[in-house]
Amino acid sequence: MIKRQLRHLHRAGLTLALATLAAALPLSAHAQGRPDLVAASLKDSTKTHVPGELLVQFKPGASDAAKDNALAGLGARIHDDIRMGHQRLDGKGDLHLVRLPVGLTVAAAMRGLERDASVDFAEPNWVYRHSATSNDLYYENGSLWGMYGDASSPANGFGSQAAEAWTRGNTCGQTPVYIGIIDEGYMTSHPDLALNVGTNPGEVAGNGIDDDGNGYVDDVNGWDFDGNNNSVFDGVGDDHGTHVSGTIGATGGNGVGVAGVCWSVKLISAKFLGSQGGTTANAIKAVDYLTDLKTRHSINLVASNNSWGGGGFSLALADAIERANTANILFIAAAGNDGVNNDTSPHYPSSYGNANIIAVASITSSGALSSFSNYGASTVDIGAPGSGIWSTVPVRKKGKVAASYASYSGTSMATPHVSGAAAMYASTHSGATAAQIKAAILGAAIPTASLAGKTVTGGRLNVSGF
């Protein structure tokens, strides 16, 4: 057990000394080393948080009076409950978003609350951003290199090999599979995405009622946790989410635009990134939203795509990812675009130690590690195409939104290739667990010189290898 826990902690990029200190506790327990991780994150100028806000988790059974007493001493107040529907699914205490009075710093409030017997932990409400850059038909003209294989036409041996799987008839149509898009929203009306828009089977469209009792009204295609409404596409600022969605599941074989790894897949939106990025509080809500969809509605949701990062360490978010793990949902995450070693400089959320995480680096069309891509021999699992990736986007012309295509680069673009691979495997292996899907993806990786000693597998994505 202790060896397993040490591996989890090393996977999160901790030093051996810190791992030893926390080794006696399970991954989701509130380890003694956690305040050190939060403190390190607060000192890191590259990680930002919402001023005047804290995430506070109370101990199980803490009374309302105890909560009020803990917060009253600081002049703080509860602003929001961070929970799915009406209850926590993991038996832990209540998690709240707390607003602080003017003049009280986040660090000072954390020190005060962590001395209170009713408080389990307190941490900043970190801000995350997507990891992509823009540069500006696509399969046949040689542009869609990330989908090519050694024997496809056009060919590129450093592509995901998806085209070779397609030639064998595997376009993901065998078993309906859902992928959650935790990101910006995506353009559900895009002609390359419209057939693959996922729906919440427990909700009736347009009746103004929360039919399935999850706390969200008319969340037919998902929910916008940044705007707190059911609009999964606002027409402004949803380029990144639309691009990610197209790489996973743009309809193939229709003579239009691009093709995703999976031609038939259901994409359900859990939007939490807005114009100012996204917060930990909303990221937790998004993860739990997808977990609830699977556990209560039994949809075949096998993974969430997480092409974002940059916040500091959050035990509350790690706990939410663990709840997804319990529900057999993979958390496929971008390794980050800072060009650094995540073994020594953790990147969250990809560096958490949860067993359901697949952390993804980016490679170029020549097989090199992309110059911007983070890496890590023990914290980044695999490489995938991420430089110069064409996919679906919305464009704005004369005040109207139209469908288009663009080339972006980033670990944000590498990650959806792996999410598409997870959907493809699940579509042909009904009932496969998250652990089995992850093992298949990592086990099929093609050894790649640029990734040797830089990733767990030392290789790149090979969709045709399972």
Side-chain angles (χ1 to χ4, degrees):
M1 176 62 75
I2 289 178
K3 289 182 178 179
R4 173 179 175 272
Q5 290 152 353
L6 280 170
R7 285 198 299 271
H8 281 321
L9 291 167
H10 183 57
R11 172 76 165 74
L14 309 186
T15 64
L16 180 58
L18 182 56
T20 302
L21 177 67
L25 297 177
L27 171 68
S28 59
H30 304 143
Q32 297 175 43
R34 188 202 59 80
D36 294 337
L37 292 176
V38 174
S41 295
L42 280 171
K43 292 177 182 178
D44 187 341
S45 62
T46 67
K47 304 184 189 306
T48 59
H49 59 272
V50 181
E53 290 187 355
L54 274 183
L55 286 170
V56 180
Q57 183 159 303
F58 290 91
K59 292 181 179 177
S63 66
D64 290 342
K67 295 178 186 178
D68 291 342
N69 184 64
L71 298 178
L74 300 176
R77 60 183 176 83
I78 293 175
H79 176 69
D80 194 11
D81 295 330
I82 311 301
R83 58 184 179 181
M84 171 44 57
H86 59 282
Q87 62 181 351
R88 284 285 295 260
L89 302 178
D90 54 8
K92 296 182 180 179
D94 295 332
L95 179 66
H96 299 288
L97 179 63
V98 169
R99 287 276 173 87
L100 305 178
V102 175
L104 180 62
T105 67
V106 165
M110 285 169 55
R111 288 194 297 270
L113 285 171
E114 289 180 344
R115 289 194 294 265
D116 192 286
S118 67
V119 173
D120 200 350
F121 65 85
E123 60 188 29
N125 190 17
W126 299 108
V127 175
Y128 306 95
R129 303 187 188 281
H130 62 64
S131 301
T133 57
S134 175
N135 50 28
D136 219 87
L137 244 220
Y138 300 100
Y139 184 86
E140 292 184 350
N141 71 8
S143 298
L144 214 61
W145 76 269
M147 298 295 167
Y148 300 157
D150 304 84
S152 62
S153 180
N156 187 311
F158 296 105
S160 68
Q161 313 290 313
E164 296 190 14
W166 301 339
T167 62
R168 298 197 303 268
N170 188 0
T171 58
C172 302
Q174 292 87 335
T175 301
V177 174
Y178 279 72
I179 298 290
I181 310 298
I182 302 181
D183 206 286
E184 298 172 342
Y186 76 91
M187 187 179 183
T188 54
S189 62
H190 196 293
D192 252 344
L193 296 174
L195 291 178
N196 289 337
V197 175
T199 58
N200 174 2
E203 202 69 19
V204 177
N207 67 355
I209 299 173
D210 177 15
D211 298 285
D212 62 357
N214 67 354
Y216 307 106
V217 176
D218 290 340
D219 56 316
V220 177
N221 303 128
W223 191 259
D224 178 354
F225 295 94
D226 178 66
N228 196 31
N229 57 55
N230 64 3
S231 173
V232 298
F233 179 70
D234 298 328
V236 177
D238 291 324
D239 306 52
H240 184 267
T242 302
H243 196 281
V244 162
S245 298
T247 298
I248 297 169
T251 303
N254 61 353
V256 176
V258 298
V261 174
C262 273
W263 296 3
S264 299
V265 63
K266 295 303 177 186
L267 306 171
I268 193 82
S269 182
K271 178 178 178 177
F272 92 106
L273 292 175
S275 60
Q276 303 301 314
T279 66
T280 306
N282 286 335
I284 292 167
K285 290 179 180 179
V287 174
D288 278 340
Y289 175 79
L290 296 175
T291 301
D292 181 72
L293 279 178
K294 181 168 187 176
T295 56
R296 290 204 298 127
H297 296 309
S298 299
I299 66 172
N300 190 23
L301 196 151
V302 300
S304 64
N305 188 91
N306 302 274
S307 291
W308 48 274
F313 177 87
S314 168
L315 184 55
L317 180 55
D319 280 348
I321 296 170
E322 191 60 26
R323 291 191 288 275
N325 185 33
T326 301
N328 269 311
I329 301 172
L330 288 170
F331 188 93
I332 301 173
N337 290 352
D338 305 306
V340 301
N341 186 345
N342 287 355
D343 289 357
T344 54
S345 300
H347 172 272
Y348 302 110
S350 66
S351 288
Y352 291 124
N354 307 71
N356 59 329
I357 292 177
I358 300 178
V360 187
S362 170
I363 62 170
T364 70
S365 60
S366 63
L369 180 71
S370 300
S371 60
F372 53 77
S373 181
N374 292 2
Y375 55 91
S378 63
T379 56
V380 178
D381 293 298
I382 195 169
S387 289
I389 304 302
W390 283 88
S391 188
T392 48
V393 294
V395 294
R396 293 147 196 91
K397 297 180 179 178
K398 299 180 179 179
K400 296 183 178 180
V401 180
S404 189
Y405 304 88
S407 174
Y408 290 4
S409 296
T411 53
S412 277
M413 286 55 258
T415 304
H417 284 88
V418 179
S419 296
M424 180 175 284
Y425 185 87
S427 74
T428 56
H429 297 78
S430 181
T433 66
Q436 289 168 337
I437 298 170
K438 178 177 178 177
I441 291 172
L442 301 190
I446 299 172
T448 305
S450 68
L451 299 172
K454 295 292 183 71
T455 62
V456 173
T457 61
R460 65 185 187 272
L461 181 65
N462 175 20
V463 173
S464 71
F466 46 74

